[in-house]
Amino acid sequence: MHNLPLHRLKHFLGLESRDAEAFAALLGEQRHFDRHDIIRRAGHTPPEIYFLIDGWVASRVESQQPRSQIVKVHLPGDIMGDSSLALDHSAETLLALNSVTLAAVPAGALAELFVRSPRFAASLFLIAQQERVWLMDRLTSVGRTSAVHRIGGLLLSLHDRLQAIDPSRPPSYELPLSQHEIGNVLGITQVHANRSIIRLEETGLIARNGRLVTIVDIPGLRKFSGVPQREFSGTPEWMRMLRSLSSSG
Amino acid sequence: MHNLPLHRLKHFLGLESRDAEAFAALLGEQRHFDRHDIIRRAGHTPPEIYFLIDGWVASRVESQQPRSQIVKVHLPGDIMGDSSLALDHSAETLLALNSVTLAAVPAGALAELFVRSPRFAASLFLIAQQERVWLMDRLTSVGRTSAVHRIGGLLLSLHDRLQAIDPSRPPSYELPLSQHEIGNVLGITQVHANRSIIRLEETGLIARNGRLVTIVDIPGLRKFSGVPQREFSGTPEWMRMLRSLSSSG
DNA sequence: CGTGCACTTGACAGCTGTCAATGCCGGTGG
DNA sequence: CCACCGGCATTGACAGCTGTCAAGTGCACG
C-alpha cells in the first residue's frame, strides 16, 4: 500500500483541512501500468479523472501524425485527465513512462465534493491554474529559447517538482524518458535532443550517468535556462472564507 | 453601455442558469485602455480577476528580457488574470492590443459565488481546463510545426473564437497585432513572421488587405495548420447535479 | 549469440535568426 | 501646406540552428 502523495492538494487547502483525505476516499481501486502502456487514449472520455500515486506519465496531444507533442510530464501527486472534463473527446493520450500506480475518481463523485466543500472546489481550480502557469512557462521555453536551454529548463523543472514531493531528495534523479520522448516534450528531434544534452553536459551544469541525471549547479542552471521559479501562494486570503469539510462535518 | 459577452460563462452553465448574470453583478466599474497600455504588470498581484468586455488583450510571460512570450490573445468574453490567483507574484503582463473595455472582480466576491453556486464553481473550473487545452494545442503548434503552419493555426483559431462570439460574422477580421507581436505569439522573429505570412498568403488559403485578414478556405486552412477543432461539451452530465443560483434563490 | 531498442555520430539540406536597408504611412511641429 | 519623425512592413544577404538521412555502437534480453 502506497502512502498517498497528497502534497499538491494540501498546498492550497491548508493543513487544517480534511478535504485532501476526503478526496482520497473517493479513489477507486489502484491500477498498475508498465512503461509504454496507454492509460487512456485521446478521443475517449470516460467521465473520470486520475490521481497519480506512483511513477511518471506523459500527456500527449495527438495532432495529425507524426506531429504529436508531449505537453506534460506528470509526477506522483498530480491529477491527470482533468483537462478533458470539458471535452466530448479527450485531447490527450496518457502514456506510462515507467511503472505506474494510479486510481480513478468518477466525475460524479468529484461533483459531490464540489458541493460539500467550496474550499476543495477552489483548491482544484487553483491547481488547474497552476498547471496553466507551468504550461505557459513551457510554451515560453519552447517558443523563445534554443534546444540546449530547453533541455536545461526541463531537467530543472522536473528537479523542482521532485523536490516539492520530497524536500530531502538530492538533486539527482532517474529520468525515464528516452531521448526521443525528450525531444517530443521540447519540440525538437531525437537526434538534436541527443546533441543538445551532450552540449549541456559539457557546460558542467548537469552530469549524466546512464539515465541518472544530476543537477550540478542549480542556480547556474536556473539562470541558464531562464525558467522562472514560481512561488505559489499557500492558502490565499480570499480562500480562507470558504467552507471546508473540516468546519462542516 | 456594452452588451456583456457572457457566451463563455453560459457555455458550461447551461441556459437555465442565472449564474452568469450573478457573475456580471460582481463586476466593478468599467475601465478603458488604449493600445499599448499595460493593464497589469507581471509581478503585481491585486487579488482580482478581469472580465474582458470589448477589445483584444495579450497575456505576456516576462522571461528574462528580451525573451518574453505572448501566451494568450484574449477576446471579448474571456476571463483574464485568473491564472495568477495561485501565485504571490503574477506571471503574466496584460497588454491592451486595441481599445479595451474591461471590469474587475475581487477574489473575495468570486469566492462568495463559489459558495453560493457550486455549479458556477464547476463552470469556472471547466473554463480553466478549456484554456489549458487551448494552451496545449498552441504548444503543439509551436513545438511541432513550421512558421507558415503556425501562422495559419493562429489565424484560424482566432477566427474560430470570433465565430463563437458572433456566429453570423463573416470569415474576416481586423487583426490588431503587429507582425512583431505575431512573431511573439508564435515563437519566431518579426522578420520571419513577415515572410511566413506572405508565403501563407501565396497558398491562397488566406487573403490580406492591410490588417484585415480573410480566411479564404477554412477547411483547407484547418488541414494545413493541423490545429484540431475542439468540441467542448455543453453542460456535462455530472454537472447537472450541482446546485445553481437558479434553483437555490 | 542474435535481436531489438536506444544512444551516438557524420554529412548535408533547409528553416530561422540576425543585421541592415528601404519604403510606407500617420502624426507632429514649423 | 510641407518637412520631419517614429513605428511598422518589406526585402536582401548571410550565419547559425535544427531536421533529415544514414550508419555505427552499446546494452538488455531471450
Side-chain angles (χ1 to χ4, degrees):
Chain A
M1 177 68 190
H2 288 279
N3 201 3
L4 292 177
L6 296 175
H7 57 102
R8 288 199 64 188
L9 283 168
K10 289 188 173 178
H11 179 85
F12 291 115
L13 284 170
L15 292 176
E16 77 276 17
S17 167
R18 300 292 300 167
D19 288 324
E21 285 74 14
F23 174 80
L26 302 179
L27 293 175
E29 249 182 36
Q30 293 195 2
R31 306 182 199 170
H32 298 274
F33 298 88
D34 293 326
R35 171 159 173 83
H36 290 158
D37 283 354
I38 288 178
I39 297 166
R40 186 170 79 178
R41 197 179 292 277
H44 293 224
T45 310
E48 62 185 13
I49 64 172
Y50 306 96
F51 182 71
L52 182 52
I53 298 170
D54 195 34
W56 294 34
V57 171
S59 169
R60 197 175 61 190
V61 168
E62 314 284 1
S63 196
Q64 47 194 27
Q65 303 300 339
R67 299 212 168 283
S68 65
Q69 165 87 29
I70 295 177
V71 294
K72 171 85 188 179
V73 174
H74 289 286
L75 301 183
D78 283 0
I79 288 169
M80 308 187 300
D82 52 337
S83 67
S84 293
L85 282 177
L87 287 161
D88 287 328
H89 305 285
S90 86
E92 50 185 5
T93 294
L94 296 175
L95 184 70
L97 292 170
N98 52 13
S99 290
V100 163
T101 304
L102 58 77
V105 175
L110 199 68
E112 284 178 34
L113 196 48
F114 259 63
V115 176
R116 286 163 61 205
S117 172
R119 188 151 172 176
F120 173 81
S123 173
L124 223 53
F125 175 68
L126 288 184
I127 288 173
Q129 300 296 1
Q130 191 177 28
E131 294 292 345
R132 272 179 76 188
V133 170
W134 278 330
L135 206 43
M136 281 159 32
D137 285 339
R138 185 128 298 285
L139 180 59
T140 303
S141 179
V142 170
R144 308 217 69 87
T145 74
S146 73
V148 193
H149 297 260
R150 292 183 212 174
I151 302 247
L154 175 65
L155 296 181
L156 182 61
S157 64
L158 288 172
H159 161 76
D160 284 343
R161 291 168 57 204
L162 288 169
Q163 195 86 319
I165 299 175
D166 174 12
S168 67
R169 202 185 50 77
S172 187
Y173 55 90
E174 195 83 19
L175 186 68
L177 294 126
S178 71
Q179 292 185 352
H180 186 274
E181 288 160 336
I182 292 173
N184 207 320
V185 173
L186 301 177
I188 57 180
T189 58
Q190 179 270 327
V191 174
H192 200 60
N194 175 270
R195 294 192 166 110
S196 302
I197 292 171
I198 293 172
R199 239 187 301 172
L200 179 59
E201 201 177 2
E202 287 167 355
T203 66
L205 293 170
I206 67 153
R208 283 188 307 159
N209 191 343
R211 284 188 171 180
L212 183 72
V213 173
T214 303
I215 317 279
V216 177
D217 179 358
I218 295 178
L221 186 56
R222 205 176 298 284
K223 185 177 178 186
F224 177 82
S225 67
V227 174
Q229 191 171 23
R230 300 288 180 201
E231 299 197 2
F232 294 93
S233 47
T235 312
E237 191 51 45
W238 56 267
M239 201 169 149
R240 300 191 180 280
M241 64 187 282
L242 296 179
R243 182 164 34 85
S244 177
L245 291 187
S246 61
S247 58
S248 69
Chain B
M1 177 70 191
H2 287 279
N3 202 1
L4 291 177
L6 296 176
H7 57 103
R8 287 200 63 189
L9 284 168
K10 288 188 173 178
H11 178 84
F12 291 115
L13 283 170
L15 292 176
E16 77 276 15
S17 168
R18 300 291 299 167
D19 288 325
E21 285 73 14
F23 174 80
L26 302 179
L27 293 175
E29 249 182 36
Q30 294 196 2
R31 306 183 200 169
H32 298 274
F33 298 88
D34 293 327
R35 171 159 172 84
H36 290 160
D37 282 354
I38 288 179
I39 297 165
R40 186 170 78 177
R41 197 179 292 276
H44 293 223
T45 311
E48 60 185 15
I49 64 172
Y50 306 96
F51 182 70
L52 182 52
I53 297 170
D54 196 34
W56 294 34
V57 171
S59 169
R60 196 175 61 191
V61 168
E62 314 284 1
S63 195
Q64 45 193 28
Q65 304 299 340
R67 298 212 170 282
S68 65
Q69 164 87 29
I70 295 177
V71 293
K72 171 86 188 180
V73 174
H74 289 286
L75 301 183
D78 283 0
I79 288 169
M80 308 187 298
D82 53 337
S83 66
S84 293
L85 282 177
L87 288 161
D88 287 327
H89 305 285
S90 86
E92 51 184 4
T93 293
L94 296 174
L95 184 69
L97 291 170
N98 52 13
S99 290
V100 163
T101 303
L102 58 78
V105 174
L110 199 68
E112 285 179 33
L113 197 47
F114 258 64
V115 177
R116 286 164 60 206
S117 172
R119 188 152 173 175
F120 173 81
S123 174
L124 223 52
F125 175 68
L126 288 184
I127 288 174
Q129 301 296 3
Q130 192 177 29
E131 294 291 346
R132 272 179 77 188
V133 170
W134 279 329
L135 206 43
M136 281 158 33
D137 285 339
R138 186 129 297 286
L139 179 59
T140 303
S141 179
V142 170
R144 309 216 68 87
T145 75
S146 74
V148 193
H149 297 259
R150 292 184 212 175
I151 302 247
L154 175 65
L155 296 181
L156 181 61
S157 64
L158 288 171
H159 161 77
D160 284 343
R161 291 168 58 203
L162 288 168
Q163 195 86 318
I165 299 175
D166 175 12
S168 66
R169 200 186 50 78
S172 187
Y173 56 91
E174 195 82 20
L175 186 67
L177 295 126
S178 71
Q179 292 185 354
H180 186 275
E181 288 161 336
I182 292 174
N184 206 321
V185 174
L186 302 178
I188 57 180
T189 59
Q190 179 270 328
V191 174
H192 200 59
N194 176 271
R195 293 190 167 113
S196 303
I197 292 170
I198 292 172
R199 239 187 301 171
L200 179 59
E201 200 178 3
E202 287 167 355
T203 65
L205 294 170
I206 67 153
R208 283 189 306 159
N209 191 344
R211 285 189 171 181
L212 184 72
V213 173
T214 303
I215 318 278
V216 177
D217 179 358
I218 295 179
L221 186 57
R222 205 175 297 283
K223 185 176 180 189
F224 178 82
S225 66
V227 174
Q229 191 172 23
R230 299 289 179 200
E231 299 196 1
F232 293 94
S233 47
T235 312
E237 191 51 45
W238 54 269
M239 200 169 151
R240 299 191 180 279
M241 64 188 281
L242 296 179
R243 181 164 34 85
S244 177
L245 290 187
S246 61
S247 57
S248 69

